[in-house]
């Protein structure tokens, strides 16, 4: 379990928690944070631990060094020539996901509070799919994003085929997937791959996390859940869920505190 204001570091991932904000950093800078089984396992484990922390109100996900994540480690492609891969190893379901690599993406939707990715350098293939699994993406102007799997004779298999159409539209998702073309910062925003552009994405992501963490955590949890239901459940179910959430929030200690803050 993480401890406030103490940085935990491994050869794959670092995490610090302070003032209600968790900062998770991919930590293979010499490999451009390339993905292998230990990295997938670290992402899943960290996401699950944050899911259980009631003192965390926002999460920032970034990459150490020159890039967010270059995608699969090249050794993975060598294994694939023998018909094996850590990516497709199936196990017990974590939420909707069974494959380890899918869990490394899906776990961020299971974290009950908002998760923000700060993307600089490259986010290729699996690296982009990890970014697609969070709630908000801040990208640097020179960031380079690509659904690159087609170049390796593959299809996205870390939940990307399910997440991308909702963000950019089905036709754009197909064009990006069929070509593997590289998209830079401003274009990523215009397409819907990214939320906004910033020269210093980590700084801006942390500022946004602090703003978010200043609000009622319970309201944030309900808001993320409700927005994730939209378009995925019948409208009546979504509207009922809204009313259930508001009924729980009205008159709560956190809601009364929010009203006092608004009144100054």
């Amino acid at each position: 379990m993480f401890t406030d204001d103490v940085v935990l570091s491994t050869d794959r991932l670092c995490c610090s928690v302070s003032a209600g904000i968790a900062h998770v950093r991919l930590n293979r800078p010499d490999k451009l944070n390339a993905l292998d089984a230990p990295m997938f396992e670290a992402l899943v484990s960290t996401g699950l631990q944050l899911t259980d922390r009631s003192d965390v109100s926002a999460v920032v996900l970034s990459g150490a060094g020159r890039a967010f994540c270059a995608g699969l480690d090249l050794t993975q492609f060598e294994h694939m020539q023998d018909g094996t891969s850590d990516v497709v190893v199936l196990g017990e379901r974590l939420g909707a996901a069974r494959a380890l690599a899918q869990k490394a993406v899906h776990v961020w939707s299971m974290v009950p509070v908002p998760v923000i990715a700060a993307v600089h350098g490259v986010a290729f293939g699996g690296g982009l799919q990890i970014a697609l699994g969070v709630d908000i993406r801040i990208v640097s102007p020179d960031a380079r994003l690509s659904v690159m799997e087609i170049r390796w004779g593959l299809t996205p298999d870390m939940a990307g085929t399910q997440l991308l159409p909702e963000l950019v539209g089905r036709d754009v998702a197909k064009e990006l997937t069929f070509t593997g073309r590289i998209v830079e910062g401003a274009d990523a925003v215009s397409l819907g791959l990214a939320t906004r552009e910033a020269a210093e994405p980590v700084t801006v992501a942390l500022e946004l996390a602090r703003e978010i963490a200043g609000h009622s955590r319970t309201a944030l949890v309900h808001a993320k859940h409700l927005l994730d239901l939209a378009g995925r459940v019948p409208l009546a179910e979504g509207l009922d869920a809204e009313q259930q959430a508001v009924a729980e929030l009205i008159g709560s200690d956190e809601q009364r505190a929010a009203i006092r803050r608004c009144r100054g």
Side-chain angles (χ1 to χ4, degrees):
M1 179 61 69
F2 300 129
T3 303
D4 282 354
D5 301 309
V6 173
V7 177
L8 299 183
S9 180
T10 72
D11 62 351
R12 291 295 187 273
L13 188 144
C14 302
C15 181
S16 59
V17 178
S18 180
I21 298 168
H23 188 178
V24 179
R25 284 153 294 205
L26 308 186
N27 190 36
R28 295 184 79 196
D30 57 322
K31 300 287 188 181
L32 298 182
N33 300 313
L35 301 165
D36 59 5
M39 180 72 89
F40 290 137
E41 290 165 356
L43 285 164
V44 174
S45 174
T46 302
L48 287 176
Q49 290 188 62
L50 292 176
T51 297
D52 293 333
R53 286 196 66 145
S54 60
D55 60 334
V56 170
S57 295
V59 178
V60 171
L61 182 63
S62 68
R66 296 183 292 119
F68 178 74
C69 178
L72 279 183
D73 192 298
L74 290 177
T75 58
Q76 295 294 312
F77 295 108
E78 294 173 5
H79 294 322
M80 287 178 188
Q81 295 183 67
D82 300 325
T84 62
S85 171
D86 294 326
V87 177
V88 296
V89 173
L90 301 181
E92 294 184 4
R93 287 196 185 277
L94 175 65
R98 288 186 61 200
L100 175 61
Q102 290 176 332
K103 293 176 183 178
V105 174
H106 187 53
V107 71
W108 303 107
S109 68
M110 299 175 66
V111 174
V113 297
V115 182
I116 307 162
V119 179
H120 74 291
V122 300
F124 288 163
L128 175 57
Q129 291 181 81
I130 289 172
L132 296 179
V134 308
D135 302 300
I136 297 168
R137 284 158 294 283
I138 312 295
V139 299
S140 65
D142 58 353
R144 302 169 73 223
L145 293 73
S146 174
V147 188
M148 193 165 277
E149 284 79 4
I150 197 70
R151 299 191 184 194
W152 298 96
L154 299 170
T155 59
D157 61 349
M158 292 170 56
T161 61
Q162 304 306 298
L163 296 171
L164 192 59
E166 184 178 56
L167 293 172
V168 302
R170 191 175 298 271
D171 59 336
V172 174
K174 288 180 177 180
E175 187 259 336
L176 292 173
T177 303
F178 296 162
T179 65
R181 74 178 175 95
I182 295 172
V183 178
E184 296 190 352
D187 287 338
V189 174
S190 66
L191 287 174
L193 274 176
T195 311
R196 71 166 96 154
E197 186 183 25
E200 299 292 338
V202 174
T203 299
V204 171
L206 288 169
E207 289 173 352
L208 179 58
R210 283 190 286 272
E211 178 183 351
I212 289 171
H215 297 298
S216 160
R217 184 182 187 277
T218 305
L220 289 170
V221 170
H222 279 301
K224 175 169 176 171
H225 173 67
L226 290 169
L227 291 167
D228 282 344
L229 290 180
R232 301 173 182 172
V233 300
L235 179 59
E237 183 177 338
L239 293 178
D240 288 348
E242 275 191 349
Q243 293 305 302
Q244 292 164 6
V246 169
E248 180 179 329
L249 292 168
I250 289 176
S252 66
D253 291 343
E254 289 182 28
Q255 200 248 342
R256 289 198 297 270
I259 292 174
R260 288 195 297 271
R261 286 195 297 271
C262 286
R263 289 178 173 173

